[in-house]
Amino acid sequence: METLEARCLLSMNWGLYPKLIGQDKAVTDFPNITGKGVNVAIIDSGFDLNHPKLQGVLWTNPDEIPGDGIDNDHDGQIDNVHGWDYVSGDNVPEDENSHGTQMAGIIAAKPFKGLDGFDYQGIAPDAKIVPLKTIDPYGHIYNLTFAQRVQRSMHWLENNAKRLNISIVNLSIGVSQADFEATFAPDVAKLNKQGVLLIASAGHYGHDKPLEYPAADPNVYSAGMVNEQDKIPDEQQRGPQLDLLGPGNHIQVLYKNGGYMVSEEASSYPTPFIVGAAALVKQVNPDFTPAQIIDILKDSGKQISDGERSYPRIDIDAAIRLAIKRSGGNPDPDPDPNPNPNPNPNPKPKPKQRPFKGTPFSVTSTIQAEDFDNGGEGIAFHNVGKRKRTVYRRTAVELLAAADDGGGYAVGTIRRGEWLEYTVNVGASGLYTFQGRFQAAGKGAAFHVEVDGSDVTGRLGIPSGGKSAQWKTISKRNVSLSSGKHVVRIFFDSATSKKTAGNFNWFKFVRG
């Protein structure tokens, strides 16, 4: 569905850095690759929770009940609905320094006008940010106390990242090797082993110095900077351990208290650029490992030489194309087999999202899984891998006969990160109960439901049913819906050890 926001993005007057790293092309070529479904932790100073360009960015813990004073998910933190403040020891990671707001904005800001008059937005504006506040109001980080705060945040991630689907960590920080080894070095090793991608700033205190920690650790990927001329500044620390480059000087960024600013030169800044690019690649294929994501960013990047060694600088459009290709897809789904040197002045318009049966379904009717909207890949659904043989309708989504009550068809062999959308009509505003019919392929499968891009159910597990693989109806009460036309997305967050979330038959919303 082409929204007003999508049309505005296509007409943006992009600034220098978005053009340098291919962000402008990526937004045009892949408008649906926005980091959706990817949770990114930022270990920093929190961020401005009320900044107008960071609304909708804040992550929500699906296993906590807000304000009840109980540690519902038993993670040692009470009411940590939106992250944690390790400086004050509470559940409000509000930014008192501004550094974290800048990092969050580079990753996920909504479109904004820079102080130079050009347009900007976050690299992955639909990613969710988990703020883990460790930097105090004064930005004091080169001390043991700070390293110990990072250790506590890392330990929480180590115990909860898999459960909460946190797959990337932004570390625009530096500590001494001694403090690193005395505190959170074991945690980064364990997170790396769990498949969490950690990206850290390499440092900007001289080209003759080795990388800072944690970037110098082999379990962490390192980020260095280029300037407006696409050159590596002399201040950039470097060496064979430096993995990737991104913009690092005169960045248009968000500031605390709803403000904006232009940055100075620092290797803090390329880290969130690279993290945002990684989130886009992760959306393309949630099964990519950290090493595969970094390989894609490296292989698609532009080589920048400092006279002695070359390093890849991210190219976001090229990275998405390579990620799609390595997932078995086609980054150009409608190539012209007979290129015409005199192209048609009235080209065929790109497909738009439309209800499968022409009109929106009533949200209270039983909506069959196989009746997802028309529009194709990235518009009405996201399907990982190659085209599958199907029944009922011509689509890349795998459909099969439903061995469930009522027969019919079901969407089958669903993988983590895949989603389907349905245009519905809500007759009256109020509270509804979501009901959906699912069959798991084993333990660990889960999904959530979005309405117009907002998560309305939180993470819902799909019971495995043991060896019988039974179909089960899964419900979520007190879902607030407003009257009118909406788009419902069924998003599959996790899969089983067999890399499939199972099968999906139907859903509906029951009033009351």
Side-chain angles (χ1 to χ4, degrees):
M1 181 181 297
E2 187 180 31
T3 63
L4 176 60
E5 181 180 14
R7 291 196 295 272
C8 290
L9 288 176
L10 293 177
S11 63
M12 286 175 72
N13 185 20
W14 293 100
L16 185 150
Y17 280 125
K19 294 177 181 177
L20 183 74
I21 62 174
Q23 183 185 15
D24 59 334
K25 289 189 62 182
V27 170
T28 300
D29 294 344
F30 305 102
N32 296 293
I33 305 299
T34 58
K36 197 171 188 67
V38 181
N39 295 330
V40 177
I42 300 183
I43 296 178
D44 212 283
S45 61
F47 71 80
D48 181 353
L49 304 179
N50 296 308
H51 200 293
K53 298 304 179 181
L54 290 173
Q55 297 310 295
V57 168
L58 184 61
W59 165 84
T60 298
N61 184 343
D63 299 328
E64 275 291 333
I65 299 174
D68 68 353
I70 299 172
D71 180 10
N72 304 105
D73 60 357
H74 308 292
D75 66 351
Q77 297 174 352
I78 295 173
D79 288 342
N80 60 328
V81 179
H82 301 300
W84 195 257
D85 182 345
Y86 291 91
V87 178
S88 301
D90 60 38
N91 63 351
V92 186
E94 185 64 61
D95 191 358
E96 301 172 276
N97 176 273
S98 184
H99 193 265
T101 298
Q102 297 171 45
M103 303 303 108
I106 291 172
I107 294 171
K110 305 308 177 187
F112 68 95
K113 187 74 70 176
L115 297 178
D116 59 357
F118 291 100
D119 296 325
Y120 299 87
Q121 72 168 41
I123 303 299
D126 285 330
K128 297 297 184 184
I129 302 298
V130 185
L132 302 176
K133 181 177 176 180
T134 57
I135 298 177
D136 65 26
Y138 312 102
H140 297 153
I141 62 174
Y142 289 99
N143 57 66
L144 182 60
T145 299
F146 169 70
Q148 289 169 336
R149 292 190 202 117
V150 176
Q151 180 185 29
R152 291 196 290 275
S153 67
M154 286 280 191
H155 191 65
W156 179 83
L157 283 169
E158 180 189 329
N159 292 328
N160 297 282
K162 185 175 182 180
R163 172 177 65 89
L164 297 171
N165 193 31
I166 300 171
S167 55
I168 306 174
V169 181
N170 188 102
L171 293 159
S172 293
I173 60 173
V175 300
S176 70
Q177 182 177 357
D179 287 349
F180 173 71
E181 292 176 349
T183 54
F184 60 96
D187 297 290
V188 300
K190 291 176 182 176
L191 283 167
N192 177 268
K193 189 174 181 179
Q194 289 178 16
V196 177
L197 173 57
L198 301 111
I199 302 175
S201 302
H204 56 275
Y205 297 106
H207 69 273
D208 57 342
K209 291 182 171 59
L211 272 57
E212 289 190 333
Y213 282 84
D217 187 83
N219 296 294
V220 179
Y221 293 95
S222 57
M225 58 180 161
V226 295
N227 57 24
E228 298 97 319
Q229 290 75 43
D230 212 12
K231 305 293 185 184
I232 303 172
D234 193 55
E235 293 78 12
Q236 175 60 60
Q237 292 166 238
R238 65 197 75 175
Q241 294 170 300
L242 181 57
D243 292 301
L244 284 158
L245 302 174
N249 188 31
H250 294 162
I251 312 298
Q252 300 286 331
V253 292
L254 308 184
Y255 196 76
K256 66 178 182 178
N257 299 324
Y260 305 84
M261 65 170 279
V262 182
S263 80
E264 296 181 352
E265 181 181 279
S267 66
S268 289
Y269 298 107
T271 307
F273 277 101
I274 295 167
V275 164
L280 300 180
V281 172
K282 188 72 172 177
Q283 180 191 345
V284 171
N285 188 342
D287 289 329
F288 278 146
T289 66
Q292 288 173 319
I293 292 172
I294 295 298
D295 283 347
I296 287 169
L297 295 178
K298 285 183 175 181
D299 293 346
S300 60
K302 176 184 176 181
Q303 290 295 321
I304 306 296
S305 175
D306 65 357
E308 296 182 5
R309 186 185 299 271
S310 292
Y311 306 92
R313 189 260 296 141
I314 57 168
D315 183 317
I316 294 172
D317 188 72
I320 294 174
R321 290 180 180 279
L322 185 57
I324 294 171
K325 186 175 180 180
R326 291 189 179 176
S327 295
N330 183 356
D332 296 300
D334 296 308
D336 185 353
N338 298 300
N340 185 346
N342 298 305
N344 184 353
N346 299 304
K348 183 179 179 181
K350 292 183 178 181
K352 295 182 179 181
Q353 185 167 2
R354 305 181 309 280
F356 174 61
K357 295 190 176 181
T359 57
F361 293 109
S362 169
V363 78
T364 56
S365 65
T366 299
I367 301 170
Q368 299 298 326
E370 64 270 21
D371 290 344
F372 52 88
D373 286 354
N374 290 320
E377 169 61 38
I379 298 173
F381 63 82
H382 174 49
N383 183 74
V384 175
K386 298 181 180 179
R387 184 182 181 89
K388 303 179 177 72
R389 296 178 63 185
T390 61
V391 295
Y392 182 67
R393 61 188 289 192
R394 186 176 178 83
T395 174
V397 176
E398 182 170 317
L399 303 180
L400 46 81
D404 190 19
D405 293 342
Y409 301 98
V411 176
T413 321
I414 303 168
R415 301 185 71 181
R416 180 162 61 97
E418 294 187 334
W419 49 264
L420 303 145
E421 288 191 341
Y422 307 80
T423 301
V424 303
N425 185 65
V426 178
S429 301
L431 294 178
Y432 290 77
T433 297
F434 168 83
Q435 294 180 352
R437 192 75 168 166
F438 299 85
Q439 180 186 44
K443 294 181 178 179
F447 71 100
H448 72 270
V449 181
E450 300 175 7
V451 176
D452 299 334
S454 297
D455 185 349
V456 298
T457 63
R459 182 186 176 95
L460 300 174
I462 304 175
S464 64
K467 296 181 179 180
S468 60
Q470 296 177 347
W471 286 92
K472 296 189 177 182
T473 301
I474 298 169
S475 301
K476 177 68 176 183
R477 298 181 61 190
N478 297 325
V479 177
S480 179
L481 299 178
S482 60
S483 61
K485 188 170 74 171
H486 302 281
V487 174
V488 173
R489 174 180 286 191
I490 311 296
F491 189 103
F492 292 86
D493 299 285
S494 63
T496 69
S497 59
K498 298 179 181 179
K499 296 186 178 181
T500 174
N503 305 320
F504 167 40
N505 194 355
W506 54 259
F507 75 96
K508 63 181 175 180
F509 286 84
V510 178
R511 185 73 189 273

